């Protein structure tokens, strides 16, 4: 009997439950999650994440990477929406870097460029919107919302806007339809089309502008909104045309579950990886590791990594080239190419953990389970692995070995059943440089919803995995 058990233990793979097998680390995991929730509350947009890390890195003594600046710890921001953080290792940069890339944009709803309107049917001031990324539109109805973003005034000065987060702030809402009248326009439709983009307008204000001498002011409610905005921010309607204003769920991230073992909050895809990888690189010291460590926080992943702030842009390559120069190495195009070819990259993005309400879309044996550690996905994509970076077996095995040596709670897992759907990450864009790349991040329930659920075990295990990758990778 004992012999069979021994053989089983020796030969079979089973994922480990963090709470069972790593129980002495529970307190550290809970403490890290407290810092993480605070980060989620402060950073609901890519710009807020960038500001957060710029302030933090300055405080920690990181130097802004620019010509002639000699340091061991560097950072650089770009377009106020990207951050790169580096710590020089013992080996030359050209020996290859260990890079962890995640994204700091999240699905949301943006203001249209000309957003302000007065709805004649209801007599209310409204904001017209345009959603960003893969949102399920019905989730955004009848829930408290906040507005975050920037407006550039005509004199070039920038106004930071944040309404709906302080306890005494007003919030906003996209009112859903009452069930009594939903029979035709919603219930007869499919889920994906029952709420249309044009239904996602927020109610902005309701008091008209009052002129005691003129009883017939045109669009008086819209005018009153403009008057209030002008008083508060010194802006006029034209300033909206260039503004970036993002609508996000109002309120703070919370502990979830009776045992407080989970975190419920907005934007955890992929700020969970941004937070844990940034914490990992700032916790290591250069005496401990060989290869130069880099963390890259990118924008625009949710719309295909496009644009000059997305991972497809030249920003990170340019950063590595300048890092070579700053460390006294050649940075011609051949050296830069060889550096990238010698590099190892973790594409740190979330995976879909098994959802107890919808187990049928997952394949249990090959899915990520909440609370069983950081997930490693050899490939993503859809259909026959279409559009995926399929990591090489050699590198995949090396990552498992590093994690085992570092006593990381990890699991292997793919996103959903074959042909159930699918999705991509930054991995394939980073792989274009020839570096070894693999997807590595925690599982999430309700991904892309307003309130995503993660496990404190997996937040901590991701942090630990990223740190071990820098130290031993
Ligand atoms: Mn993601
Ligand atoms: Mn996503």
């Amino acid at each position: 009997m004992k012999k069979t058990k021994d053989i089983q233990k020796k030969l079979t793979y089973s994922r480990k439950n963090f709470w069972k097998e790593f129980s002495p680390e529970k307190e550290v995991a809970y403490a890290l999650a407290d810092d993480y929730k605070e980060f989620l509350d402060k950073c609901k947009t890519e710009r807020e994440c960038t500001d957060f890390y710029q302030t933090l890195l300055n405080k920690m003594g990181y130097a802004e990477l620019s010509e002639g600046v000699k340091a061991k710890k560097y950072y650089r921001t770009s377009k106020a929406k990207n951050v790169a953080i580096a710590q020089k290792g013992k080996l030359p940069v050209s020996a290859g870097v260990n890079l962890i890339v995640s994204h700091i944009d999240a699905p949301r709803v943006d203001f249209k460029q000309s957003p302000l309107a007065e709805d004649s049917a209801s007599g209310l001031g409204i904001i017209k919107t345009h959603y960003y990324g893969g949102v399920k539109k019905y989730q955004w109805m009848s829930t408290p919302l906040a507005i975050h973003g920037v407006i550039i005034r005509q004199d070039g000065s920038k106004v930071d806007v944040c309404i709906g987060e302080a306890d005494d702030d007003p919030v906003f809402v996209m009112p859903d339809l009452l069930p009594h009248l939903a029979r035709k326009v919603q219930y007869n439709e499919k889920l994906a089309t029952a709420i249309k983009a044009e239904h996602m307008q927020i109610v902005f204000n309701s008091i008209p502008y009052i002129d005691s001498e003129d009883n017939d002011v045109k669009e008086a409610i819209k005018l009153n909104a403009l008057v209030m905005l002008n008083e508060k921010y010194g802006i006029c309607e034209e300033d909206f045309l260039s503004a970036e204003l993002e609508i996000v769920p109002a309120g703070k991230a919370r502990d979830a579950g009776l045992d407080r073992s989970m975190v419920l909050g907005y934007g955890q895809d992929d700020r969970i990886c941004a937070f844990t990888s940034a914490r990992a690189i700032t916790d290591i010291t250069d005496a401990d590791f060989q290869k130069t460590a880099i963390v890259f926080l990118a924008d625009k992943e949710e719309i295909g990594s496009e644009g000059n702030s997305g991972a497809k842009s030249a920003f990170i390559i340019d950063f590595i080239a300048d890092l070579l120069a700053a460390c006294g190495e050649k940075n011609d195009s051949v050296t830069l190419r060889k550096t990238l070819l010698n590099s190892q990259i973790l594409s740190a993005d979330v995976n879909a953990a098994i959802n107890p309400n919808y187990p049928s879309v997952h394949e249990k044996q090959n899915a990520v389970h909440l609370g069983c550690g950081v997930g490693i996905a050899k490939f993503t994509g859809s259909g026959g692995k279409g559009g995926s970076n399929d990591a090489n077996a050699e590198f995949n095995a090396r990552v498992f070995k590093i994690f085992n040596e570092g006593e990381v709670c990890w699991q292997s897992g793919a996103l959903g059943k074959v042909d159930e759907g699918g999705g991509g990450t930054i991995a394939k864009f980073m792989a274009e440089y020839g570096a070894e790349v693999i997807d590595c991040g925690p599982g999430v329930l309700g991904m892309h919803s307003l309130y995503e659920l993660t496990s404190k075990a997996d937040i901590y295990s991701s942090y630990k995995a990223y740190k071990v990758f820098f130290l031993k990778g």
Side-chain angles (χ1 to χ4, degrees):
M1 186 63 184
K2 172 135 195 322
K3 206 178 158 210
T4 313
K5 275 204 170 146
D6 286 346
I7 293 170
Q8 244 169 356
K9 200 176 169 201
K10 199 174 157 201
L11 296 184
T12 56
Y13 163 75
S14 57
R15 58 176 53 75
K16 294 185 172 111
N17 182 292
F18 178 88
W19 307 114
K20 263 164 74 181
E21 315 240 358
F22 294 79
S23 55
E25 292 171 87
K26 181 182 165 187
E27 295 309 317
V28 208
Y30 273 48
L32 183 71
D34 286 341
D35 291 352
Y36 172 56
K37 282 178 289 175
E38 216 176 283
F39 162 77
L40 287 178
D41 296 342
K42 285 184 186 151
C43 300
K44 288 197 177 179
T45 67
E46 56 285 355
R47 285 177 185 271
E48 288 169 355
C49 287
T50 304
D51 283 352
F52 177 88
Y53 281 112
Q54 182 153 25
T55 307
L56 181 75
L57 295 164
N58 277 330
K59 220 183 274 175
M60 295 182 90
Y62 280 72
E64 213 171 331
L65 180 59
S66 55
E67 234 187 298
V69 177
K70 287 273 166 250
K72 287 207 157 162
K73 300 173 172 187
Y74 290 105
Y75 82 95
R76 177 180 283 172
T77 64
S78 175
K79 317 290 178 199
K81 298 171 180 179
N82 280 191
V83 189
I85 313 168
Q87 271 216 60
K88 166 94 172 65
K90 287 183 195 145
L91 294 173
V93 179
S94 52
V97 302
N98 286 333
L99 168 66
I100 302 181
V101 51
S102 62
H103 64 94
I104 49 177
D105 63 321
R108 60 174 193 255
V109 180
D110 289 338
F111 273 43
K112 276 192 175 174
Q113 288 334 111
S114 181
L116 282 171
E118 182 162 328
D119 178 61
S120 59
S122 63
L124 294 169
I126 53 153
I127 293 290
K128 294 167 178 274
T129 69
H130 194 147
Y131 65 95
Y132 170 97
V135 306
K136 289 168 93 175
K137 300 185 186 79
Y138 69 87
Q139 294 177 335
W140 288 79
M141 309 304 281
S142 291
T143 186
L145 301 168
I147 298 166
H148 294 232
V150 296
I151 304 170
I152 313 298
R153 294 192 198 95
Q154 271 148 40
D155 65 2
S157 59
K158 188 189 282 185
V159 192
D160 285 306
V161 176
C162 180
I163 315 171
E165 300 295 354
D167 286 344
D168 57 351
D169 267 4
V171 291
F172 303 90
V173 73
M174 302 169 184
D176 197 3
L177 187 56
L178 64 168
H180 318 64
L181 298 178
R183 201 180 301 162
K184 287 181 195 155
V185 297
Q186 287 187 337
Y187 292 168
N188 286 347
E189 292 273 343
K190 288 190 171 151
L191 186 66
T193 53
I195 308 286
K196 298 185 171 56
E198 66 259 27
H199 295 137
M200 300 175 82
Q201 302 183 131
I202 63 174
V203 175
F204 198 53
N205 67 315
S206 66
I207 303 178
Y209 182 83
I210 310 231
D211 181 341
S212 53
E213 281 158 31
D214 181 358
N215 216 355
D216 193 28
V217 180
K218 292 268 172 303
E219 298 206 306
I221 294 168
K222 177 179 164 180
L223 182 61
N224 209 21
L226 282 168
V227 168
M228 286 187 289
L229 290 165
N230 185 263
E231 277 169 10
K232 184 159 187 199
Y233 301 113
I235 55 165
C236 54
E237 191 175 16
E238 194 178 312
D239 297 327
F240 276 103
L241 303 179
S242 60
E244 289 180 357
L245 293 165
E246 306 180 6
I247 299 161
V248 298
K252 292 179 173 2
R254 312 274 298 262
D255 279 345
L258 187 64
D259 50 14
R260 297 179 169 266
S261 61
M262 296 164 281
V263 171
L264 186 76
Y266 167 70
Q268 298 197 66
D269 171 10
D270 184 31
R271 293 178 194 135
I272 192 170
C273 295
F275 172 82
T276 47
S277 61
R279 177 61 76 92
I281 196 170
T282 51
D283 273 1
I284 54 174
T285 54
D286 62 328
D288 300 335
F289 60 97
Q290 300 291 320
K291 285 190 171 181
T292 293
I294 301 180
V295 158
F296 172 28
L297 314 180
D299 181 31
K300 299 277 194 288
E301 192 276 343
E302 296 295 356
I303 55 167
S305 298
E306 309 288 353
N308 63 12
S309 62
K312 284 190 207 169
S313 81
F315 170 66
I316 193 65
I317 299 308
D318 192 60
F319 179 78
I320 295 171
D322 287 349
L323 195 62
L324 282 162
C327 297
E329 296 177 55
K330 285 199 288 185
N331 74 345
D332 56 283
S333 72
V334 176
T335 309
L336 179 59
R337 265 193 346 254
K338 299 287 183 208
T339 303
L340 295 165
L341 279 164
N342 289 334
S343 294
Q344 307 182 108
I345 301 176
L346 296 186
S347 165
D349 207 344
V350 292
N351 202 322
I354 295 186
N355 184 327
N357 289 332
Y358 295 95
S360 70
V361 303
H362 305 279
E363 195 256 290
K364 195 177 162 198
Q365 186 173 323
N366 282 287
V368 166
H369 298 231
L370 218 64
C372 292
V374 66
I376 294 117
K378 189 175 181 296
F379 53 86
T380 59
S382 58
K385 306 189 180 182
S388 87
N389 158 66
D390 193 358
N392 297 312
E394 292 84 346
F395 180 57
N396 196 341
R398 186 171 149 67
V399 170
F400 289 160
K401 185 167 174 276
I402 294 166
F403 288 175
N404 281 334
E405 283 169 9
E407 293 177 341
V408 174
C409 185
W410 61 268
Q411 55 184 322
S412 165
L415 191 140
K417 263 185 191 166
V418 180
D419 286 343
E420 195 70 46
T425 64
I426 289 172
K428 64 173 175 178
F429 308 121
M430 303 312 291
E432 285 174 15
Y433 309 119
E436 296 289 354
V437 187
I438 195 162
D439 280 291
C440 176
V444 175
L445 288 192
M447 195 196 294
H448 283 208
S449 74
L450 281 73
Y451 304 99
E452 298 173 315
L453 188 68
T454 57
S455 167
K456 291 182 182 177
D458 304 337
I459 299 164
Y460 173 71
S461 299
S462 301
Y463 158 75
K464 211 170 149 187
Y466 300 152
K467 198 166 152 186
V468 163
F469 173 69
F470 286 141
L471 296 179
K472 297 179 189 285

